[in-house]
Amino acid sequence: MGQSLSRHDRRLLMENPILCGVDEAGRGALAGPVVAGAVLLVDEFYKLPWCRRHGGRIQDSKKIPAEAREELRKELDVLCGKGVINAATGQASVGEIEEHNILGATKLAMLRALRELEKLTGMMFARETGGDLLFGQEATSPRGPLVLVDGKPLRDFPIVHRALVGGDGRSLAIAMASIFAKTERDRLMRELDGECPGYGFATHKGYGTAEHREALLKLGPSPHHRPLFLRKILCLTEMKNQGDLVFGGDEDLST
């Protein structure tokens, strides 16, 4: 898998010698923030022994077992410490999800991760015409790294980007960003589990598993639950209790 991801990125490097993969984690959860990861890779990275030997282990973070994913994050942090790669994360809070909806909050998280990368590297990402209030700029920037975003093109997104549907399974840069996003969000959810015991955040990471729904019905929502999402899930639960709906199995993305 990883070798094919590298080949895809190498084709893109012919257009631009610097790639920046961006991906998010927690978009479909009932609780906790949405977190984005951004990873900046230069063309030399793909020629390094580490990439040749270990790139095959990199894939969509949801497809990597939790323990292996955490080990990969440690290795990637070492590469960051050596300046081999650059990476950053950003998040949007439950309040921002409620205010801007999940898509708007996801874009905020992505922008914050990209802004942090700019601070770390001194590079500038090209802006769309019209400015960028979050970044405090009003003019279009010169051409910057090629920003690759998993999914469909983002409307009203101030950074020039290329969207790749299924990008975490096509681009090594995006797959690496997904690992940063997922491991960072998992860490945050483990912290929330300590603050609000009983919901099982450390296990299901806020996703709508049967365990989580049962805890919600027993304890009620915590301050870390997303009101917009709970209105939907609690409405469906009420319909189920009335015999109007039978739940199917939820996708468990906690691993």
Side-chain angles (χ1 to χ4, degrees), residues 76-94:
L76 295 178
D77 283 340
V78 170
L79 295 180
C80 286
K82 294 180 178 179
V84 176
I85 66 174
N86 289 281
T89 60
Q91 62 178 285
S93 68
V94 168

Side-chain angles (χ1 to χ4, degrees), residues 217-229:
L217 294 175
K218 179 181 178 181
L219 302 174
S222 75
H224 305 294
H225 281 92
R226 303 174 182 178
L228 181 63
F229 285 55

Side-chain angles (χ1 to χ4, degrees), residues 247-251:
F247 271 101
D250 286 327
E251 181 182 10

Side-chain angles (χ1 to χ4, degrees), residues 107-167:
K107 289 191 288 187
L108 276 177
M110 289 179 171
L111 286 170
R112 287 165 178 162
L114 290 169
R115 177 173 60 181
E116 189 62 27
L117 267 185
E118 287 192 330
K119 293 178 181 178
L120 287 172
T121 65
M123 294 184 181
M124 297 293 293
F125 296 104
R127 269 59 164 180
E128 297 284 0
T129 304
D132 176 0
L133 294 179
L134 184 65
F135 284 74
Q137 294 197 352
E138 297 180 355
T140 301
S141 301
R143 183 188 185 215
L146 177 57
V147 177
L148 306 172
V149 176
D150 184 36
K152 297 180 180 180
L154 299 171
R155 296 181 59 185
D156 301 320
F157 195 66
I159 301 298
V160 176
H161 65 284
R162 180 176 302 178
L164 295 175
V165 175

Side-chain angles (χ1 to χ4, degrees), residues 89-105:
T89 60
Q91 62 178 285
S93 68
V94 168
E96 288 170 325
I97 294 171
E98 183 73 5
E99 179 180 358
H100 301 292
N101 71 47
I102 188 60
L103 178 57

Side-chain angles (χ1 to χ4, degrees), residues 228-246:
L228 181 63
F229 285 55
L230 290 192
R231 284 195 287 271
K232 298 177 182 178
I233 193 73
L234 294 179
C235 178
L236 292 175
T237 301
E238 182 178 355
M239 292 172 65
K240 175 192 176 186
N241 292 337
Q242 293 173 351
D244 297 328
L245 181 72
V246 177

